């Protein structure tokens, strides 16, 4: 609200305010304990906000400790007001409360060629500088690049692209001429890489065979990694998210087997899972591979429920795994 309306705010704890808040001049000698922990003696030249108990805030400067918010606050009363700046400044100096940070104008280095580069439109130099000037900016210099001082009321302007936007919204985006897309009169070439094509094909082949796709963690317990040829120091995490997720996986099988076991522990013993993802044989790029792996458990045949084309639900065996592998390879 402060930025949206350009108005400073003060928040009271509503439960600590007695009666209605009123704006008035302070009484001579009236005191208030402010939020900075100091007690201030006020004069009739000073404007205050008060309730039935007395002064609760020095208008435009600082709130009082009595009505301040703390960790127990549940309801708040927000004051949004515009005060006479001369009175406020005089009160602040008299009490020794200087809370106004001096405004340091932001300077942006702005090559005028950025307008053409970012929008494709040629805006004459004089027009661009004129637009910025009328919006309150102060461009300086006479070359192709200017230093632009940003006005205090534009905290949203951070860089040169913001200045291009300011120029364009006044110059008019309707000045951008319509341009037809170039037609190549041909079907586009392949978009996906070979690895992406193979990954999609392997996933589809295994899913068609009734296997459910799993996404497991890339890091596994050290003892699991060692059982599958991993466990090297170069594959251990310096900051594992859990003690049992300490090593990069050398194989997809530990994660899939663990997932199948978690299902079995919950009464779902017949599961068929697969994953197509990365494995790590070392900490170098050429030691990372994309692999397809699968696990069948119990009687999880082709459709994952124990049913097969032959009608024989028996336990899965090596030939089921062989058929999955051949399907993925094909």
């Amino acid at each position: 609200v402060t930025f949206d309306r350009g108005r400073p705010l003060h928040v009271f704890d509503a439960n600590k305010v007695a009666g209605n808040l009123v704006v008035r001049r302070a009484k001579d000698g009236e005191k208030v304990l402010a939020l900075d922990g100091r007690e201030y003696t006020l004069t009739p030249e000073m404007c205050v906000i008060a309730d039935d108990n007395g002064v609760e805030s020095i208008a435009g400067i600082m709130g009082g400790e009595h009505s301040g918010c703390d960790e127990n606050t549940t309801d708040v009363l927000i004051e949004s007001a515009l005060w006479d700046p001369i009175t406020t400044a005089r009160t602040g100096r008299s009490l020794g409360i200087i809370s106004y940070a001096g405004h340091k104008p932001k300077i942006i280095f702005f090559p005028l060629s950025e307008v053409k580069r970012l929008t494709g439109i040629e805006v004459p130099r004089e027009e661009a500088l004129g637009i910025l000037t009328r919006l309150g900016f102060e461009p300086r210099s006479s070359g192709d690049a200017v230093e632009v001082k940003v006005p205090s009321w534009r905290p949203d302007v951070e860089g040169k692209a913001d200045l291009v936007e300011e120029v364009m919204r006044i110059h008019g985006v309707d000045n951008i001429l319509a341009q037809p897309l170039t037609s190549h009169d041909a079907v586009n070439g392949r978009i996906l890489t070979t690895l992406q094509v193979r990954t999609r094909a392997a996933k589809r082949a295994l899913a068609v065979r009734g296997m459910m796709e799993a996404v497991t963690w890339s890091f596994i317990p050290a003892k699991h990694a060692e059982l599958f040829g991993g466990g090297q120091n170069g594959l251990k995490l310096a900051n594992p998210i859990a003690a049992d997720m300490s090593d990069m996986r050398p194989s997809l099988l530990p994660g899939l087997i663990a997932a199948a076991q978690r299902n079995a522990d919950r009464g779902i013993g017949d599961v068929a899972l697969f994953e197509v993802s990365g494995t790590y044989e070392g900490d170098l790029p050429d030691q990372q591979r994309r692999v397809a792996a699968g696990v069948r458990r119990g009687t999880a045949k082709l459709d994952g429920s124990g049913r097969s084309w032959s009608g024989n639900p028996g336990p899965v065996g090596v030939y089921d795994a062989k058929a999955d592998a051949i399907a993925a390879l094909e």
Side-chain angles (χ1 to χ4, degrees), residues 197-211:
V197 171
R198 289 181 177 176
T199 297
R200 292 180 60 178
K203 288 183 177 183
R204 186 174 183 83
L206 296 175
V208 164
R209 292 186 56 79
M211 305 182 81

Side-chain angles (χ1 to χ4, degrees), residues 90-157:
R90 186 182 297 120
T91 300
R93 292 192 185 96
S94 300
L95 298 177
I97 305 175
I98 306 299
S99 58
Y100 322 113
H103 173 63
K104 295 182 179 179
K106 188 185 303 177
I107 305 295
I108 297 176
F109 182 74
F110 182 42
L112 292 171
S113 58
E114 284 293 282
V115 177
K116 171 74 172 178
R117 187 180 74 84
L118 292 179
T119 67
I121 295 181
E122 193 76 55
V123 178
R125 170 192 169 84
E126 293 73 19
E127 180 182 354
L129 296 181
I131 289 173
L132 293 175
T133 301
R134 294 195 300 276
L135 292 175
F137 297 86
E138 297 181 27
R140 296 178 301 194
S141 181
S142 57
D144 292 333
V146 298
E147 290 183 347
V148 179
K149 182 189 292 186
V150 179
S152 61
W153 63 87
R154 293 301 304 272
D156 57 308
V157 175

Side-chain angles (χ1 to χ4, degrees), residues 268-304:
I268 310 297
D270 299 325
V271 293
L273 304 173
F274 80 89
E275 183 170 9
V276 183
S277 190
T279 60
Y280 305 86
E281 299 167 0
D283 56 358
L284 299 176
D286 60 357
Q287 294 175 313
Q288 301 176 21
R289 291 195 300 157
R290 180 65 58 86
V291 177
V295 168
R296 289 187 184 271
R297 190 184 190 282
T299 61
K301 295 263 182 171
L302 288 178
D303 64 358

